[in-house]
Amino acid sequence: MANEEDDPVIQEIKPKQQKVELEMAIDTLNPNYCRSKGEQIALNVDGACADETSTYSSKLMDKQTFCSSQTTSNTSRYAAALYRQGELHLTPLHGILQLRPSFSYLDKADAKHREREAANEAGDSSQDEAEDDVKQITVRFSRPESEQARQRRVQSYEFLQKKHAEEAWVHLHYYGLKDSRSEHERQYLLCPGSSGVENTELVKSPSEYLLMLMPPSQEEEKDKPVAPSNVLSMAQLRTLPLADQIKILMKNVKVMPFANLMSLLGPSIDSVAVLRGIQKVAMLVQGNWVVKSDILYPKDSSSPHSGVPAEVLCRGRDFVMWKFTQSRWVVRKEVATVTKLCAEDVKDFLEHMAVVRINKGWEFILPYDGEFIKKHPDVVQRQHMLWTGIQAKLEKVYNLVKETMPKKPDAQSGPAGLVSGDQRIQVAKTKAQQNHALLERELQRRKEQLRAPAVPPGVRIKEEPVSEEGEDDDDEEEQPMDTSPSGGLHSRLANGLPPGRAAGTDSFNGHPPPGCASTPVARELRAFVEATFQRQFVLTLSELKRLFNLHLASLPPGHTLFSGISDRMLQDTVLAAGCKQILVPFPPQTAASPDEQKVFALWESGDMSDQHRQVLLEIFSKNYRVRRNMIQSRLTQECGEDLSKQEVDKVLKDCCVSYGGMWYLKGTVQS
C-alpha cells in the first residue's frame, strides 16, 4: 500500500517463550506398525521423486514431530518436588511446556496435491496455445523498504514460519531413567545445604512462608479458563455470600436434607443463618428441603417441551410438592390430569424430587427426616402455615373436589405433610390385617360351599352311619356316630374332605402327603413358584411378591389364584417346591425391609450346577458379601476339582450380583 509508512503501530506482541519441536524416530519394524500406510503417507508428502528437500527420505513415514505448547502463563506458583529421607526438596519452575504431535506433514501433502493439479491444468492449456506466442511482461522495481515496514515484515507470521523452518535441528541423545547421567542430573533437584546449615529464608512464621511459596497473583483471574455457566467449583462457591451459596446448591441438587447442606457449606457456618437462608429458596417436604419452583422457572421463562409460561409450570410443580407433603407416593397420571400439563413437563417435576417404582408410582427420593422435625419445631410450624396457603391457592386454581383433597389430620397428629414413617407403616399394617381377616372369612365360606354336596331340589338322601371296612352290617346299624374330635369320624375325615383331599401333614391310607398341594389354588401357586425359581434361582420375598402380582395381572378375571394368597401360604409353597431359605447375615445398619431380608434359593434343579450352587449358598449363609477369589477357592475345595472360569461365571450369574468389587446374593445389595 502507498500509505504503509503512515500506519501507526498500536501494540507489539512478543512471544514470552520460544517454540520447541522434538523429532522422534518411529520403529518401523514393530509388528504394530502399518507399513503400507507409512508408504502412502510418505508418497503423499514427498511425491514419487525423493531429493534433499524430502520430509521422509526413506520413502516411509519413519519419524514423528512433537510441537510444544504453553500450558500456563504464570509458572511462579509451581515447583518440582522430590521427597527423600523424610525431607521435601522444592525446585522452582520457570517454564512448563506440553508436547503434542505436529501434523505439518499433512499441510505439505495438501500443497503437493495442489501443485500437481495446477501442473496438470497448465499442461492442458499449453497444448492449445502456439509455441511462438509472445506474452507482454510488466517489470516493476521495488522501492526502498522503510524501517517501520521492515519491522512489520520481521514480525509477520510468514517471516517467523520461514525462519523457524530454516533453523537447524540439534541432535539429542536419550538417557534412560536408571542411567548414571540421569541420576547425576536428578541430584540437582536436591538442596545441597540441608546438612546442619540453617536456611534463613525459612525463619518465618508458617503463614509468611506459605505466602512466599504461593504469592497472590493478579494475572490468574485473567488467565483462568472460562468455565461453563452451570459449572462452579466448591472453592469458587465459598467465595460467594451465604445466600448465593445456598441458592446455587439447592438449584443444582433440587432436594437435600439440612444435615447435608451444612456439611457442604462448611463447619464454620452458623446453622441459624443457614435456616434463614434456606427458607427463602426452598420448601420443607417430609423433613427435607426442596428448591422452590420460581427458582427453577424464573419469570419470563417457558417450558422447553411445550412452551408453557413459567407461572403455569410453577403452579404445576407446587402441586407435585404439595402431594408429597401428603404421601410418600404420587401417580403421574393423576398429576397430568389435574395440572393439564404435557407428560414431559410432569416427568421433569417428578424427576426433581422422586424416583419411579414399578407398579407403584413415584416415591419421594429421600427418607423422612424425623430428626430435623424434632429439632426445629418452629421452622416446621412456619412451613406448615406456608403449605396451608399454597393448598388453598391450588384448590382455587385447579377446582379440586373433596375426593381429590386428602382428609385433614387431627390436631394431635401434627401437620399433614409431616406424618412419621412409623405411623404410616402402622396404619398400613392395620389395614392389611383387616383385609386379611375379610379374605380369610371369604375363603372359608367358599370352601364350605365346595364341601356341601350338590343336591337337586325335591330329592331326599337317606342318612346312614359310616361303615368300617370288614365289619358286619348289623354292627354298622347298632354303632352310633362318634361326634367327638378324637372319634373315628375325625380319624377318617379331616375338615369334611375325603382323605385324598384333607389338609394334613402325614400319609393316610396310602395317599401321598395330603396338603394344600391337592387344591387347584395350591397347584397353580406351586406351578408359578417352580417356574419362577427355575428362571431366577435366588429371590427375596419382596421380589417374589412383585413377580406374583405381575403374574396375577396377566391372568383372566375369575382365575383361582384371585381367591387370596397370604404371605405364609406363598412361603410354604416355596419351601415345598424344593427351595430353601438362606439366612443372609445382613449388616445391622441395613435399610432392607423384612421382606427383602427373607431370601429363598432353589436348592436342586437337576442340572450339573446344583453342587456348585449349594456351596455358594452356604458361603452366603455366613457372609453378607464375598470376594470372587474366596468363592473360587471354596468351590475348588468343596467340589474337589479345578473349576473353569466359565463354570464359576455361570453360578455367579445365576445367584449373585457384583457391586463395588464385591459379590452379593441377588436382591440383597443395598447401594
Side-chain angles (χ1 to χ4, degrees):
M1 297 176 63
N3 57 350
E4 240 179 32
E5 300 167 349
D6 300 332
D7 291 342
V9 177
I10 299 175
Q11 183 182 7
E12 292 186 5
I13 301 176
K14 297 183 179 180
K16 295 182 180 180
Q17 208 159 5
Q18 293 294 332
K19 194 174 183 180
V20 177
E21 286 190 353
L22 181 64
E23 188 177 88
M24 299 182 65
I26 298 177
D27 185 8
T28 58
L29 301 179
N30 192 289
N32 296 324
Y33 181 80
C34 181
R35 192 173 184 85
S36 60
K37 192 69 176 178
E39 293 175 351
Q40 183 63 43
I41 293 176
L43 180 62
N44 294 339
V45 173
D46 299 329
C49 300
D51 51 17
E52 295 80 6
T53 61
S54 299
T55 304
Y56 304 111
S57 57
S58 62
K59 296 185 179 181
L60 193 67
M61 184 180 178
D62 55 358
K63 57 186 177 181
Q64 173 70 54
T65 303
F66 292 87
C67 186
S68 67
S69 61
Q70 193 172 355
T71 57
T72 178
S73 59
N74 183 13
T75 59
S76 61
R77 300 168 63 87
Y78 296 92
L82 185 63
Y83 186 78
R84 179 169 294 185
Q85 296 179 358
E87 296 177 344
L88 184 65
H89 300 259
L90 298 177
T91 303
L93 299 179
H94 299 287
I96 302 176
L97 294 178
Q98 182 180 12
L99 292 175
R100 296 180 179 179
S102 174
F103 300 99
S104 57
Y105 60 88
L106 297 178
D107 298 334
K108 294 182 180 180
D110 291 341
K112 287 281 186 182
H113 180 68
R114 287 193 294 268
E115 289 177 3
R116 285 194 293 268
E117 288 185 347
N120 293 335
E121 292 178 0
D124 294 339
S125 60
S126 62
Q127 294 178 1
D128 300 333
E129 298 176 356
E131 293 183 359
D132 55 349
D133 259 358
V134 179
K135 293 184 179 180
Q136 184 178 0
I137 298 176
T138 303
V139 180
R140 293 182 181 178
F141 297 94
S142 61
R143 61 182 177 180
E145 187 178 29
S146 64
E147 181 64 23
Q148 192 174 11
R150 190 190 68 80
Q151 289 181 359
R152 283 199 298 268
R153 181 177 59 81
V154 169
Q155 296 178 4
S156 65
Y157 176 76
E158 290 80 4
F159 182 83
L160 293 177
Q161 286 292 101
K162 182 179 178 182
K163 185 178 180 182
H164 177 71
E166 294 174 352
E167 186 178 354
W169 287 93
V170 178
H171 293 277
L172 302 177
H173 181 73
Y174 173 74
Y175 294 94
L177 181 64
K178 297 183 180 180
D179 192 271
S180 59
R181 180 64 180 271
S182 300
E183 181 63 28
H184 176 73
E185 293 292 334
R186 198 178 299 115
Q187 294 298 321
Y188 289 114
L189 297 177
L190 299 176
C191 179
S194 61
S195 58
V197 181
E198 184 179 3
N199 193 343
T200 57
E201 292 291 334
L202 298 180
V203 186
K204 296 181 182 295
S205 65
S207 58
E208 291 176 339
Y209 173 67
L210 287 176
L211 190 62
M212 291 174 57
L213 184 63
M214 297 186 65
S217 175
Q218 301 297 332
E219 300 179 0
E220 186 177 357
E221 294 297 327
K222 293 190 256 182
D223 299 335
K224 187 180 299 181
V226 179
S229 59
N230 61 339
V231 176
L232 191 66
S233 67
M234 291 300 297
Q236 294 173 324
L237 182 69
R238 287 173 179 170
T239 61
L240 302 176
L242 180 60
D244 293 340
Q245 294 184 44
I246 297 173
K247 182 177 180 181
I248 292 173
L249 285 173
M250 292 305 305
K251 188 175 181 180
N252 284 274
V253 182
K254 310 291 192 305
V255 185
M256 191 187 306
F258 185 74
N260 290 14
L261 179 62
M262 289 298 300
S263 64
L264 290 175
L265 294 176
S268 61
I269 304 299
D270 183 20
S271 61
V272 178
V274 177
L275 277 174
R276 285 198 298 265
I278 190 66
Q279 294 182 71
K280 297 178 182 178
V281 296
M283 296 291 292
L284 191 66
V285 178
Q286 299 188 22
N288 302 283
W289 291 98
V290 183
V291 65
K292 288 184 177 180
S293 302
D294 55 0
I295 301 296
L296 295 179
Y297 304 106
K299 193 177 179 180
D300 299 331
S301 64
S302 59
S303 167
H305 306 293
S306 58
V308 174
E311 182 182 359
V312 180
L313 293 176
C314 292
R315 194 160 55 230
R317 188 174 181 274
D318 287 344
F319 177 75
V320 174
M321 294 169 61
W322 171 79
K323 289 290 290 182
F324 277 120
T325 64
Q326 311 297 315
S327 172
R328 290 281 305 173
W329 300 90
V330 167
V331 180
R332 185 171 72 169
K333 187 176 181 180
E334 177 188 351
V335 176
T337 303
V338 173
T339 60
K340 302 296 189 297
L341 293 172
C342 69
E344 290 78 8
D345 289 333
V346 175
K347 186 178 180 182
D348 284 350
F349 299 158
L350 293 170
E351 286 179 343
H352 290 169
M353 64 192 83
V355 291
V356 65
R357 306 292 187 193
I358 300 176
N359 295 334
K360 290 185 178 181
W362 290 77
E363 184 184 13
F364 193 68
I365 194 170
L366 293 178
Y368 179 83
D369 193 353
E371 183 179 353
F372 179 85
I373 299 298
K374 296 176 182 178
K375 192 174 180 180
H376 304 282
D378 52 339
V379 177
V380 173
Q381 184 62 27
R382 191 179 303 114
Q383 288 291 311
H384 176 55
M385 295 173 61
L386 292 176
W387 277 120
T388 303
I390 293 176
Q391 176 180 340
K393 182 179 178 182
L394 294 174
E395 291 178 3
K396 183 178 179 181
V397 172
Y398 291 127
N399 297 322
L400 300 178
V401 295
K402 293 183 179 180
E403 289 76 5
T404 306
M405 304 298 295
K407 295 181 180 179
K408 294 183 179 180
D410 298 63
Q412 298 178 356
S413 62
L418 305 175
V419 180
S420 68
D422 294 337
Q423 293 175 351
R424 296 181 185 276
I425 293 174
Q426 189 63 33
V427 172
K429 285 183 177 179
T430 304
K431 291 183 179 179
Q433 291 174 358
Q434 295 174 356
N435 295 336
H436 180 69
L438 294 174
L439 291 174
E440 287 291 339
R441 288 197 294 270
E442 179 66 19
L443 179 61
Q444 188 66 24
R445 185 182 63 81
R446 292 188 181 183
K447 286 183 178 180
E448 291 176 356
Q449 291 178 356
L450 292 174
R451 295 186 194 121
V455 181
V459 178
R460 298 178 62 186
I461 298 178
K462 180 180 179 181
E463 297 182 1
E464 295 181 354
V466 181
S467 63
E468 292 278 1
E469 293 183 3
E471 293 184 358
D472 297 335
D473 294 340
D474 296 336
D475 296 334
E476 294 177 9
E477 295 175 357
E478 294 176 359
Q479 183 180 359
M481 181 181 296
D482 186 5
T483 59
S484 63
S486 59
L489 180 61
H490 185 73
S491 65
R492 289 185 292 273
L493 297 176
N495 296 332
L497 296 177
R501 298 175 57 192
T505 57
D506 299 328
S507 177
F508 183 74
N509 288 343
H511 291 279
C516 61
S518 59
T519 64
V521 175
R523 286 196 297 269
E524 288 286 339
L525 183 60
R526 174 84 176 250
F528 162 76
V529 169
E530 290 177 348
T532 302
F533 276 91
Q534 284 290 341
R535 292 193 303 269
Q536 303 207 23
F537 294 102
V538 177
L539 287 171
T540 62
L541 180 59
S542 175
E543 180 65 10
L544 182 61
K545 288 163 65 176
R546 186 186 72 82
L547 295 175
F548 181 68
N549 290 333
L550 292 177
H551 179 65
L552 287 179
S554 65
L555 296 177
H559 195 274
T560 56
L561 287 179
F562 286 102
S563 59
I565 305 298
S566 64
D567 290 357
R568 181 66 181 176
M569 185 176 180
L570 184 60
Q571 294 180 64
D572 292 342
T573 306
V574 170
L575 297 176
C579 300
K580 287 190 177 183
Q581 184 174 357
I582 311 301
L583 301 179
V584 179
F586 282 83
Q589 68 275 13
T590 181
S593 63
D595 285 351
E596 291 174 340
Q597 295 186 34
K598 292 182 179 179
V599 184
F600 296 90
L602 182 62
W603 195 253
E604 292 182 357
S605 63
D607 58 6
M608 300 296 294
S609 302
D610 281 349
Q611 184 182 4
H612 305 160
R613 193 182 309 112
Q614 292 170 10
V615 173
L616 181 67
L617 296 175
E618 289 177 358
I619 295 175
F620 281 101
S621 65
K622 301 177 182 179
N623 302 276
Y624 173 60
R625 55 183 182 181
V626 189
R627 293 192 179 275
R628 182 189 173 96
N629 55 1
M630 178 181 174
I631 298 175
Q632 179 92 29
S633 60
R634 183 69 180 274
L635 286 172
T636 304
Q637 179 183 354
E638 295 291 334
C639 299
E641 56 181 346
D642 191 11
L643 298 177
S644 63
K645 182 178 181 298
Q646 290 75 13
E647 292 175 320
V648 177
D649 289 344
K650 181 182 183 303
V651 71
L652 288 176
K653 182 180 179 182
D654 291 343
C655 305
C656 305
V657 292
S658 176
Y659 184 80
M662 303 294 289
W663 287 88
Y664 303 77
L665 274 185
K666 287 184 178 179
T668 63
V669 60
Q670 301 293 320
S671 57

Short mmCIF file of all heavy atoms in Angstrom, two decimals, residues 18 99 144 450 454 489:
data_model
loop_
_atom_site.label_atom_id
_atom_site.label_comp_id
_atom_site.label_asym_id
_atom_site.label_seq_id
_atom_site.Cartn_x
_atom_site.Cartn_y
_atom_site.Cartn_z
N GLN A 18 10.05 -19.40 23.64
CA GLN A 18 10.35 -19.93 22.32
C GLN A 18 9.60 -21.25 22.11
O GLN A 18 9.34 -22.00 23.03
CB GLN A 18 11.86 -20.16 22.18
CG GLN A 18 12.67 -18.88 22.19
CD GLN A 18 12.40 -18.03 20.96
OE1 GLN A 18 12.04 -18.55 19.91
NE2 GLN A 18 12.56 -16.73 21.11
N LEU A 99 4.14 -31.16 25.03
CA LEU A 99 4.44 -31.60 23.67
C LEU A 99 3.24 -32.33 23.09
O LEU A 99 2.70 -33.25 23.71
CB LEU A 99 5.67 -32.52 23.68
CG LEU A 99 7.00 -31.84 24.02
CD1 LEU A 99 8.11 -32.88 24.11
CD2 LEU A 99 7.35 -30.79 22.99
N PRO A 144 12.72 1.38 -1.88
CA PRO A 144 13.45 1.04 -0.65
C PRO A 144 12.48 0.81 0.51
O PRO A 144 11.48 1.51 0.67
CB PRO A 144 14.35 2.27 -0.42
CG PRO A 144 14.46 2.92 -1.74
CD PRO A 144 13.18 2.66 -2.47
N LEU A 450 -67.97 -75.49 48.64
CA LEU A 450 -67.46 -76.61 47.84
C LEU A 450 -67.65 -77.94 48.54
O LEU A 450 -67.87 -78.98 47.90
CB LEU A 450 -65.98 -76.39 47.54
CG LEU A 450 -65.64 -75.23 46.61
CD1 LEU A 450 -64.14 -75.04 46.51
CD2 LEU A 450 -66.22 -75.49 45.21
N ALA A 454 -73.96 -81.24 46.14
CA ALA A 454 -74.96 -80.61 45.27
C ALA A 454 -76.20 -81.51 45.21
O ALA A 454 -76.18 -82.58 44.58
CB ALA A 454 -74.39 -80.41 43.86
N LEU A 489 -64.73 -90.75 63.29
CA LEU A 489 -65.03 -89.91 62.13
C LEU A 489 -63.87 -88.99 61.82
O LEU A 489 -63.49 -88.80 60.66
CB LEU A 489 -66.31 -89.10 62.40
CG LEU A 489 -66.75 -88.16 61.27
CD1 LEU A 489 -67.05 -88.99 60.03
CD2 LEU A 489 -67.96 -87.36 61.68
#
